[in-house]
């Protein structure tokens, strides 16, 4: 029970933001939704747009961007009531400006052993309006990478102190999402989780660092020191990749169209496509969440510019060569 209490701050988004904001970390203005009146009050005080989402959700399920009164009426008429953890407890928060990034890695015995920053292409919450979702790692010499990592480290250190006298979570993989507003160089938290990121996060980290985050996480929680050779013993700012420090990698989720899939484009003929995993499903009527894809691909590149181009070229080729009945 004490371990559960230490992990709650990573799971409940309102508890998380209350704790972080009280320690000076930047989060959007937010409030817990106890009734639809909470949403009205928040909009009255802060204006549109706002984001409504479950406090304990995942995969952008039941997440809505409310831009105006029409969107608000639509949200209320949907009468959202259940989610992955049971009855939904919503939160409403201001829509944060900026582009979305994420930091992923591993904490072992309360020490960060691995952390790296990546940038999304398209957004998780916009999966219903896009034909793909992607992400790519930043180069080591990108000055923004250090800023994002520093913010993620402060976030994790603060969350780890939530139950310091009880039984905090000491060893875990993590996924921290943030917004970066280039107009004023500000970083604002979206949310953090003490688990491995979804989609191709684990595969990308394994490709670049030879670390299986899920395996290392299980090993550490079994009081067994992770034995992956790629886990650095140095401070995270001193991490060096074995070969090319400019090398980048990313993942790409190709979303299905409504209908029956006849054949899926084979993208592994491109040398920069490290792997392609296809869904066994062939009938698609709707998408359940942001990782509900037809195909997941891991893409490599010599640097950020190269991997972005490779992701975009792969997405175009896949769309043009996947056949539906």
């Amino acid at each position: 029970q004490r371990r559960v209490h230490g992990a709650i701050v990573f799971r409940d988004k309102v508890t998380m933001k209350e704790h972080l904001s009280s320690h000076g970390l930047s989060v959007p203005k937010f409030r817990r939704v106890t009734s639809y009146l909470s949403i009205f009050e928040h909009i009255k005080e802060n204006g549109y747009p706002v984001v409504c989402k479950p406090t304990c959700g995942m995969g952008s399920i039941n997440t809505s961007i409310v831009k105006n009164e029409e969107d608000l009426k639509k949200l209320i008429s949907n009468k959202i009531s259940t989610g992955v953890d049971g009855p939904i407890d919503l939160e409403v928060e201001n829509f944060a400006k900026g582009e979305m990034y994420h930091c992923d890695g591993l904490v072992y015995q309360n020490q960060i052993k691995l952390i790296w920053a990546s940038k999304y292409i398209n957004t998780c919450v916009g999966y219903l309006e896009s034909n793909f979702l992607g992400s790519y790692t930043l180069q080591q010499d990108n000055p923004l990478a250090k800023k994002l990592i520093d913010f993620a480290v402060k976030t994790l250190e603060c969350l780890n102190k939530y139950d310091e006298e009880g039984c905090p979570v000491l060893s875990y993989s993590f996924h921290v999402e943030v917004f970066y507003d280039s107009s004023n160089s500000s970083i604002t938290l979206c949310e953090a989780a003490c688990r491995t990121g979804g989609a191709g996060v684990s595969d990308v980290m394994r490709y670049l660092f030879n670390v299986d985050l899920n395996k290392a996480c299980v090993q550490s929680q079994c009081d067994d020191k992770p034995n992956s050779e790629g886990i650095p013993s140095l401070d995270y700012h001193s991490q060096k990749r074995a070969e090319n420090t400019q090398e980048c990698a990313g993942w790409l989720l190709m979303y299905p169209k409504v209908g029956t899939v006849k054949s899926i484009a084979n993208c592994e003929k491109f040398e920069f496509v490290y792997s392609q995993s296809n869904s066994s499903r062939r009938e698609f009527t709707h998408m359940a969440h942001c990782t509900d894809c037809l195909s997941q691909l891991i893409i490599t590149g010599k640097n950020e510019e190269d991997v972005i181009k490779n992701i975009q070229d792969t997405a175009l080729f896949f769309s043009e060569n996947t056949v539906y009945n």
Side-chain angles (χ1 to χ4, degrees):
Q1 184 177 3
R2 292 168 65 197
R3 286 189 182 275
V4 170
H5 182 66
I8 277 291
V9 73
F10 283 95
R11 184 62 180 147
D12 186 295
K13 295 176 178 66
V14 172
T15 301
M16 175 192 303
K17 287 166 186 160
E18 287 173 343
H19 182 66
L20 292 174
S21 60
S22 69
H23 287 77
L25 282 148
S26 177
V27 302
K29 290 183 179 179
F30 67 95
R31 74 176 65 195
R32 193 181 295 275
V33 175
T34 54
S35 72
Y36 284 120
L37 286 176
S38 303
I39 303 177
F40 297 146
E41 290 168 358
H42 188 87
I43 292 172
K44 184 178 179 180
E45 292 176 13
N46 300 282
Y48 294 103
V50 299
V51 179
C52 291
K53 57 185 178 182
T55 59
C56 300
M58 56 163 282
S60 297
I61 300 172
N62 292 324
T63 297
S64 302
I65 299 176
V66 180
K67 301 176 183 178
N68 48 46
E69 189 173 338
E70 184 179 341
D71 288 345
L72 181 59
K73 289 178 180 177
K74 189 183 298 184
L75 173 69
I76 293 172
S77 66
N78 286 339
K79 298 180 180 179
I80 298 170
S81 60
T82 58
V84 292
D85 284 2
I88 280 185
D89 184 10
L90 291 173
E91 72 148 332
V92 58
E93 64 182 40
N94 288 12
F95 183 85
K97 295 180 180 179
E99 296 180 299
M100 199 166 191
Y101 294 77
H102 57 97
C103 292
D104 301 274
L106 179 72
V107 171
Y108 176 67
Q109 293 299 310
N110 214 25
Q111 293 185 339
I112 295 175
K113 292 296 185 180
L114 176 64
I115 184 168
W116 208 258
S118 302
K119 182 180 180 181
Y120 282 110
I121 301 177
N122 296 331
T123 64
C124 298
V125 72
Y127 70 93
L128 292 175
E129 291 143 18
S130 304
N131 68 337
F132 75 89
L133 175 66
S135 166
Y136 63 91
T137 56
L138 302 187
Q139 292 174 199
Q140 184 154 330
D141 62 357
N142 185 331
L144 180 57
K146 183 180 183 303
K147 292 180 182 179
L148 296 169
I149 288 172
D150 284 345
F151 184 90
V153 169
K154 290 176 183 176
T155 299
L156 294 170
E157 289 176 344
C158 184
L159 293 175
N160 282 342
K161 293 177 181 178
Y162 178 69
D163 193 27
E164 200 167 23
E165 295 181 359
C167 192
V169 182
L170 296 178
S171 299
Y172 55 92
S173 56
F174 60 82
H175 179 65
V176 180
E177 294 182 329
V178 301
F179 298 99
Y180 175 72
D181 187 350
S182 58
S183 68
N184 56 16
S185 299
S186 64
I187 300 175
T188 302
L189 180 80
C190 175
E191 56 194 54
C194 57
R195 60 165 175 80
T196 304
V201 168
S202 181
D203 293 322
V204 165
M205 297 297 278
R206 187 186 303 112
Y207 173 82
L208 286 178
F209 300 104
N210 191 31
V211 176
D212 185 322
L213 289 178
N214 290 327
K215 179 179 178 180
C217 181
V218 172
Q219 287 175 324
S220 63
Q221 292 183 17
C222 293
D223 297 322
D224 182 16
K225 186 175 181 180
N227 57 20
S228 299
E229 294 179 0
I231 296 180
S233 58
L234 301 175
D235 178 79
Y236 60 88
H237 283 315
S238 303
Q239 290 173 19
K240 300 290 184 183
R241 293 179 184 154
E243 298 175 358
N244 184 357
T245 58
Q246 297 295 88
E247 184 184 16
C248 294
W251 50 263
L252 172 64
L253 302 184
M254 293 303 305
Y255 295 138
K257 298 177 183 178
V258 174
T260 303
V261 179
K262 185 177 180 180
S263 64
I264 298 175
N266 178 18
C267 301
E268 288 186 306
K269 67 178 187 177
F270 298 114
E271 62 179 6
F272 52 76
V273 175
Y274 179 71
S275 66
Q276 177 176 351
S277 302
N278 300 325
S279 170
S280 59
R281 290 169 58 195
R282 291 297 179 266
E283 298 281 345
F284 292 90
T285 57
H286 69 285
M287 289 166 55
H289 48 77
C290 69
T291 59
D292 188 11
C293 64
L294 178 57
S295 187
Q296 175 180 296
L297 304 101
I298 304 303
I299 313 293
T300 64
K302 299 174 183 177
N303 48 45
E304 288 178 30
E305 183 180 0
D306 192 38
V307 77
I308 293 170
K309 181 179 184 302
N310 292 344
I311 289 173
Q312 292 172 337
D313 288 349
T314 304
L316 180 61
F317 177 84
F318 186 97
S319 297
E320 292 179 343
N321 291 277
T322 295
V323 180
Y324 293 80
N325 286 334

